[in-house]
Amino acid sequence: MTGSLEGGCACGQVRYRLTSAPMFVHCCHCTSCQTETGSAFVINALIESDRVETIAGAAEPVMTPSESGRGQQIWRCPTCHVALWSNYGGATDVLRFVRVGTLDEPAALPPDIHIYTRSKLPWVTLTEGVPAVEAYYDSSKLWPAESRARRKALFG
C-alpha cells in the first residue's frame, strides 16, 4: 500500500482514512461472518484504531455475539447501517478489523490469508499461493516482523 486509503459507508455520511498499511488482511469464511455480511466471507484489514482517521460523520458501535463468547463490536453508519469495522475479543477499540469492501479501492488490500475454511462455501475458489487454514492460525508464523512488532506494541 502506498499513501493512504479512504473508504466509507454506502450513503457517504461516514468516511474514514487508513493512515498506514494494515498489519495483516484476513479473508474469513466462518459462519458468523457469513451471517453478519450476508455473503460467503468477509475481508478484514487488521489495523490499530489510531491509524483509522475519521474524515466525516461518526460510526456507531453495535454489540453482537461472537464464537469466542466475548462479543464483537461492529461499527456501523447510523443512517445506512453499513458495517465499517469491528473490534473482537471483548470489543475494546484498540485493534480494528476494517471491512475492506468499504474502501474506495478494495482491490488495494488483497487477503494475506484465508481463515476458517472449514466452513468455506463449496463454490468459493481460493486464490493460489495465499495461505488457507481450517480455523485460526499462529500469527507469529505468518505475520511480517513489522506487523508482529506493531501488535506487540498494542497488547504487550
Side-chain angles (χ1 to χ4, degrees), residues 18 22 24-26 43-47 96-100 109:
L18 303 184
F24 214 63
V25 180
H26 291 165
I43 303 176
N44 287 314
L46 286 67
I47 189 168
R96 291 184 181 172
F97 286 60
V98 173
R99 303 288 167 88
V100 171
L109 295 179

Side-chain angles (χ1 to χ4, degrees), residues 18-70:
L18 303 184
T19 61
S20 76
M23 291 184 275
F24 214 63
V25 180
H26 291 165
C27 181
C28 184
H29 299 268
C30 79
T31 56
S32 292
C33 284
Q34 291 172 4
T35 300
E36 290 164 12
T37 63
S39 186
F41 51 81
V42 68
I43 303 176
N44 287 314
L46 286 67
I47 189 168
E48 300 91 328
S49 297
D50 64 1
R51 295 182 188 208
V52 181
E53 177 182 285
T54 301
I55 301 169
E60 295 181 344
V62 176
M63 282 299 292
T64 62
S66 68
E67 288 186 30
S68 72
R70 294 184 292 169

